[in-house]
Structure formats: structure tokens, C-alpha cells
Amino acid sequence: MSSDDHQKKKGGGRKRSARRRARNAADREEPPGPLITLPQDLRAHLDMDGDNAQDNFQDASGDSPDPNVNLQMALDDCEMAIKRFFNNELDSAMGIMEARSRTSIYHSLGVSIFEFIPAVLTLDSAQVGRAIQSLKLTVQLCNQNRRSYTIMQTIGTIMAKEAGLAELQIGAKQPGLRGVLCEIVSLGIHLVVSHFAGATPNIHQCREIIDAQLKVYPEGVWFLLFEGRLELLRGRCALAAATYRRVAETRHLWPQLRHLCYWELMWASAMMMDWRTAAEFAGRLIEESSWSRTMYCYAKAALLLQMGEDCTSDERNHITDLLKAAPLYRQKIAGKSLPMEKWVLMKCSRYTAQGGRLMMPAMELLCLWNLMSALAADVPTLHYLLKKIDNASETLDREETRWPAALIPDNRALIFYLRGCCLSALGMQRLAIQQFDKVVGLKNMIKLDTFLVPYSLYEAASCHYNLGETDRAVRMWQETRKGYSNYSLESRLHFRLHSKLEMAQKASGQAATNMSLPSRSPKHTNIHDKTI
């Protein structure tokens, strides 16, 4: 290297060091602190602006594959790591994989998986950086041994919709390492992704997988988490809560998994109408988790507000502080604001505009998280919720002058929407459609909650589908997808619209296939049977 090149490189290094020091200084600037009733340590963990997060990535290793590690040795290590991982020995599992992670594709992929899971759970910039660095190393090792890289490309191609699920089912039934991993992914798709998208999970298949794996890993937190999720979606909230508490008390548990338990316990408690306990779990998340403190602050405030007259004066003061603090913790992922956080900011402003009031905020959250359908098996709770909605409607009529006149249509529309969701969960589809139609009738008067109109059209179409009016439902879903845009939580609804349209298309194709199959007369069948 020439002296000029050396000086350029040295100068470039000084510039990079200066930029790094500047970023570190910016990171040390204190964000706006919480108000007096909030935990004092909240701001210490807060990254106010995702765009300023420092990238701590390093180049992937240039080490060559280890010729002393044969396939059987690698598979043995992987099997041991998987067993320890699902027996909650997380550090030991990571240690096995890290030992040869820079020279073995299998060990490198194992480390990537173990880094990827907490990155997905937290979206913490440092953890995401470690996951990316591990993935870079894995890809580099794959490039050095294109046998493996081609396989990964093929897997990526076939992992689309139905084809991916079918491959996962096949893989789960095969002996070897991939079986348990395929089952974990299948459970995630059915119990988390499908539910988020408004699809119906395969409860029977999930039950079989969980029961079989809990016999092998009776204390395995991953399958216990899915056990809790399964019970939650079946409306058996007390059983779900007991399972999540069991997981949360596990020793040496990743903090992110404990936070996930708190999150699910918050919803389970809310579904049991235990608003104060649900608010306590939201408070734990505010104190311990940095995933979305904006959402946690609003959730706790909404749950406390739902208690109505049972809310103490101290709790009411805390609600005000929570809703003032929530906007301070908003963040960005890849330069984009989170849609739910933007919606929360609108609700915080709404609370102030309405004189310290929100219309049934916790009930609204349950509907937006698609949890009303999970209460279909709990008829008494749904009737209780209907009574609460009717009481809120009567209160709004009686105290209308105490609410801003311009926002009365928004609050009435929300009442109609919530009542429609309850009636739909009870199987009263025609009555539910009437409530959703009332929301649509107010679309020209709604000022802020414009999302209620497309959401109500989606729910009304789902009611028509449940009544067997498939063509009408499909037409309404398509019109909703094309006719409405630029409303809050739009992407969330588009996931559900896409899922419903695919479901209807699949059902229609299956029906056409069944109609085209040749049929045999009873006489022919009997003759054939006698011949056999």
C-alpha cells in the first residue's frame, strides 16, 4: 500500500471515528422524561428516534469451512442444541452452536436462529444488529458451499401460502432435526399469523402438535406459550392465564419471552373483564419492555378507563399522565412510524378534546386485536359486554351536551361497531349487520374515526359469508379493499381482507372440484362391492 493510500485510509478512519463519537453523544441525550406518576427508570431504556440508532454491524468472517466437522457431527451438535433449547437451557444451546459458528454452516445457522428470535420479539436495534451479523456470516458460509445455498433458495421459493404449510406438515412428520422446527413454525402460522389476518386456525392440528411435544418437553416454554395461545383463542382465558403465568415464572427465561407472557396475560385478563389486573400487566411492560411504550401506556390507560366508576382518583390522575406520556415514546422502524402508535396518538388527543373521556377504549382494543371472536364460546361474557355497550349508549344520549358536538357521530359509530362485533360473536349475524350498516350510514359525519367505516364493511361482509351469502360477501370485501384508503390501521385491515378473499376463492374452487367429480349410482356401488 502506498503512503498516499495509507493516509487516505487513516483519514477515512478518523472521519468514521468522529461520526461514531457524534452518534454516541446523540444516543446519550436524555429523551423527554415521564410524568410524576410513571416509573422513574422509563427514560433510561428509551430510544426516541429509530433513525438515529447506531449500526454496530461487522463484516462477515472470512474463515473457511472446517474440514474436521463432518455432517454427522454437525447434526449431533444441532440435535443436542435443539433439545437444550426446548428444555429452556438457552445459554447452553447457544454455546454449542457458537463453538463452530464461523466454520460450520449448521452451527452458524443455529446461532442465527437463536439471535433472530429475540430480535423479532423486541425489534431492539442492538439485537437486530447481532441477528443481521449472524445472518451475514451464515450467507457467506453458504456461498462458499453452494450445495446448501441452492437448498435455501429453493426453500424460499416454496414457502408461499398453502404450499408452505403443506411442506411444513410433511417436514413435521419426518424423523430428524427438522420435525420440531417445522412444528414450531406451523404453530406460529396457525395461532399468531392466521389469527392476525382474520383466518380460522387449525385448532385440531395445533392441539395434536402441542400435546405430542409437551410429552417430550414437559417444561418447554415454547410449546407452553403456544398452549396458552391456543386456550386464549378458544376463549378459555383462565387456563391461558395459568399457562402464561407458569411460563413467566420459569428460571433463566429470556426477558423477551417473559414480556410476551405479560402481553398475553394483559389480553387474557381483559377478556375476563378483569380490567385492573390487565392494567397491572401493561404497567409491567411499561417498566421492563422497550418494544412500544407508546402502546403500553395507552393500553394501561384504556384498561383503567374501562373500569368506569370503580376507577380511583389516583388512578384517574395516572390515566392522564399515561396519555400525556404516550406520545413521548413513539418510535420508528426503518424510518417508518408504527401504524398502531399513530392511532394511539390520535386517541391521546381525543382524550383531551373530550374532557378526559374515551368511549369504551379497552373494548375497542379487544375488537381491533380480533379477540371478540375468541369469546364466542363464552356467551355470558358476551352478554355482559352487550349490557355495558348499551349502558354506554344510554350515557352518551343522556350526557350528550358534555361531549364535543362534532365528535358525537364518531362515538355513536364506535358504539354501533362494538355492538355489531359482540352480536357477530354470538352468532346473531343479521342483527350484527344492522349495527355495521348504521356505522356506514354515519360515514359523512365521522370526523376522526374514519377507519370504523371500512372495518364495519369488512365485518358485515364476514356476517354475510357466515350466512352462506358468499357472492355478496366477496363483492363487499373487494369494494372495501378498493374503495377506501388513507385511514388509520389500513394495513391491518388489508391483511384480513386478503385472507378472507383467499379463503372464499379456495372454498369456491373446492366446491367446483367436488361438482366435477364423477359420481356412481348406488346400484353400481353395490355391484362393485359384491364383486370385491
Side-chain angles (χ1 to χ4, degrees), residues 350-407:
R350 181 79 160 274
Y351 175 81
T352 304
Q354 295 182 158
R357 298 166 178 240
L358 284 174
M359 180 61 67
M360 305 204 76
M363 275 283 295
E364 184 180 26
L365 285 177
L366 285 175
C367 287
L368 291 177
W369 251 263
N370 201 27
L371 290 171
M372 292 303 294
S373 59
L375 287 172
D378 191 351
V379 175
T381 295
L382 287 172
H383 281 293
Y384 170 83
L385 291 176
L386 276 176
K387 185 177 180 180
K388 288 294 184 182
I389 294 170
D390 291 340
N391 291 341
S393 180
E394 292 171 3
T395 301
L396 181 60
D397 291 338
R398 185 172 59 252
E399 302 177 358
E400 184 172 327
T401 56
R402 298 179 59 186
W403 296 74
L407 296 178

Side-chain angles (χ1 to χ4, degrees), residues 205-218:
Q205 180 184 343
C206 293
R207 180 77 273 166
E208 287 185 340
I209 293 174
I210 292 170
D211 288 344
Q213 290 300 332
L214 284 178
K215 290 180 181 178
V216 181
Y217 308 105

Side-chain angles (χ1 to χ4, degrees), residues 55-122:
D55 290 340
N56 293 320
F57 308 154
Q58 299 178 9
D59 291 334
S61 169
D63 296 341
S64 300
D66 187 351
N68 296 320
V69 180
N70 59 37
L71 179 60
Q72 188 58 52
M73 291 172 60
L75 293 179
D76 288 344
D77 278 357
C78 290
E79 185 172 5
M80 184 183 301
I82 286 176
K83 287 182 178 179
R84 294 189 181 181
F85 182 78
F86 286 113
N87 277 319
N88 310 328
E89 301 175 29
L90 307 180
D91 293 339
S92 177
M94 177 65 91
I96 293 172
M97 291 290 93
E98 282 184 331
R100 294 189 171 107
S101 64
R102 307 186 74 83
T103 55
S104 165
I105 293 173
Y106 301 97
H107 293 75
S108 178
L109 182 59
V111 171
S112 296
I113 292 172
F114 294 162
E115 294 286 9
F116 174 77
I117 293 172
V120 171
L121 291 173
T122 63

Side-chain angles (χ1 to χ4, degrees), residues 207 224-247 264-265 268-269 272:
R207 180 77 273 166
L224 287 174
L225 282 170
F226 284 119
E227 166 85 2
R229 182 70 178 177
L230 178 64
E231 298 298 350
L232 186 73
L233 296 187
R234 295 176 66 188
R236 303 168 68 174
C237 302
L239 287 174
T243 303
Y244 285 129
R245 288 179 185 274
R246 177 183 171 188
V247 175
E264 294 290 286
L265 280 163
S269 302
M272 292 187 287

Side-chain angles (χ1 to χ4, degrees), residues 41-58:
D41 65 338
L42 226 103
R43 57 183 174 177
H45 305 286
L46 179 67
D47 179 9
M48 285 295 295
D49 190 347
D51 290 339
N52 292 330
Q54 181 178 356
D55 290 340
N56 293 320
F57 308 154
Q58 299 178 9

Side-chain angles (χ1 to χ4, degrees), residues 293-512:
R293 284 197 168 109
T294 292
M295 182 62 210
Y296 301 149
C297 285
Y298 178 76
K300 184 175 184 180
L303 291 161
L304 292 174
L305 278 170
Q306 195 68 51
M307 295 194 301
E309 296 179 355
D310 294 333
C311 193
T312 66
S313 59
D314 287 342
E315 286 172 333
R316 287 200 170 275
N317 292 333
H318 189 46
I319 289 169
T320 300
D321 287 344
L322 284 166
L323 294 178
K324 286 181 179 179
L328 303 179
Y329 306 125
R330 58 187 175 182
Q331 53 189 333
K332 293 182 178 181
I333 303 296
K336 300 289 186 180
S337 298
L338 304 181
M340 183 53 68
E341 289 193 349
K342 292 172 68 175
W343 180 84
V344 164
L345 300 185
M346 181 186 71
K347 286 295 178 179
C348 292
S349 300
R350 181 79 160 274
Y351 175 81
T352 304
Q354 295 182 158
R357 298 166 178 240
L358 284 174
M359 180 61 67
M360 305 204 76
M363 275 283 295
E364 184 180 26
L365 285 177
L366 285 175
C367 287
L368 291 177
W369 251 263
N370 201 27
L371 290 171
M372 292 303 294
S373 59
L375 287 172
D378 191 351
V379 175
T381 295
L382 287 172
H383 281 293
Y384 170 83
L385 291 176
L386 276 176
K387 185 177 180 180
K388 288 294 184 182
I389 294 170
D390 291 340
N391 291 341
S393 180
E394 292 171 3
T395 301
L396 181 60
D397 291 338
R398 185 172 59 252
E399 302 177 358
E400 184 172 327
T401 56
R402 298 179 59 186
W403 296 74
L407 296 178
I408 292 293
D410 294 62
N411 289 301
R412 290 199 191 284
L414 179 57
I415 288 173
F416 295 145
Y417 175 73
L418 296 178
R419 187 183 287 127
C421 290
C422 278
L423 291 169
S424 177
L426 283 167
M428 302 178 184
Q429 309 297 341
R430 294 292 181 195
L431 293 176
I433 291 171
Q434 292 177 9
Q435 297 299 311
F436 296 132
D437 286 346
K438 289 181 180 180
V439 178
V440 179
L442 292 171
K443 68 178 180 179
N444 294 327
M445 302 174 66
I446 295 174
K447 303 297 183 183
L448 299 177
D449 293 336
T450 54
F451 74 96
L452 288 174
V453 176
Y455 270 71
S456 294
L457 285 169
Y458 162 83
E459 295 290 351
S462 299
C463 291
H464 284 295
Y465 187 85
N466 293 335
L467 290 167
E469 301 168 3
T470 303
D471 291 342
R472 184 173 185 178
V474 169
R475 185 169 63 253
M476 290 179 66
W477 284 326
Q478 290 174 338
E479 291 173 354
T480 303
R481 184 173 64 177
K482 297 177 182 177
Y484 293 85
S485 60
N486 300 321
Y487 53 87
S488 299
L489 308 179
E490 182 176 353
S491 59
R492 179 178 292 248
L493 184 61
H494 273 268
F495 275 115
R496 297 179 185 176
L497 287 167
H498 180 76
S499 175
K500 291 293 188 184
L501 288 169
E502 279 206 338
M503 174 191 68
Q505 183 180 13
K506 181 181 177 182
S508 177
Q510 185 64 46

Side-chain angles (χ1 to χ4, degrees), residues 105-303:
I105 293 173
Y106 301 97
H107 293 75
S108 178
L109 182 59
V111 171
S112 296
I113 292 172
F114 294 162
E115 294 286 9
F116 174 77
I117 293 172
V120 171
L121 291 173
T122 63
L123 295 181
D124 177 73
S125 58
Q127 182 61 58
V128 170
R130 288 192 290 272
I132 291 176
Q133 181 180 343
S134 297
L135 288 169
K136 281 183 177 180
L137 175 59
T138 302
V139 171
Q140 184 179 30
L141 290 175
C142 287
N143 282 330
Q144 294 175 12
N145 191 341
R146 300 291 291 188
R147 169 184 58 83
S148 301
Y149 189 70
T150 303
I151 291 174
M152 296 301 293
Q153 281 187 317
T154 304
I155 291 174
T157 302
I158 65 175
M159 287 294 289
K161 297 180 185 83
E162 296 297 323
L165 285 174
E167 292 293 331
L168 285 172
Q169 292 176 13
I170 294 172
K173 295 176 181 178
Q174 299 295 322
L177 295 172
R178 69 175 66 90
V180 65
L181 299 178
C182 289
E183 289 181 331
I184 283 285
V185 176
S186 295
L187 290 172
I189 290 173
H190 283 296
L191 298 180
V192 181
V193 178
S194 293
H195 177 256
F196 175 82
T200 303
N202 190 328
I203 297 295
H204 178 70
Q205 180 184 343
C206 293
R207 180 77 273 166
E208 287 185 340
I209 293 174
I210 292 170
D211 288 344
Q213 290 300 332
L214 284 178
K215 290 180 181 178
V216 181
Y217 308 105
E219 298 299 322
V221 295
W222 295 98
F223 296 104
L224 287 174
L225 282 170
F226 284 119
E227 166 85 2
R229 182 70 178 177
L230 178 64
E231 298 298 350
L232 186 73
L233 296 187
R234 295 176 66 188
R236 303 168 68 174
C237 302
L239 287 174
T243 303
Y244 285 129
R245 288 179 185 274
R246 177 183 171 188
V247 175
E249 293 169 359
T250 302
R251 295 180 59 191
H252 309 302
L253 186 67
W254 280 348
Q256 297 86 358
L257 294 183
R258 187 168 287 109
H259 300 160
L260 180 59
C261 290
Y262 294 161
W263 176 258
E264 294 290 286
L265 280 163
M266 180 186 78
W267 292 117
S269 302
M271 291 168 69
M272 292 187 287
M273 309 298 111
D274 188 353
W275 308 117
R276 184 170 274 115
T277 299
E280 290 175 1
F281 284 112
R284 292 191 191 184
L285 289 168
I286 294 172
E287 294 173 354
E288 299 180 22
S289 174
S290 60
W291 176 72
S292 177
R293 284 197 168 109
T294 292
M295 182 62 210
Y296 301 149
C297 285
Y298 178 76
K300 184 175 184 180
L303 291 161

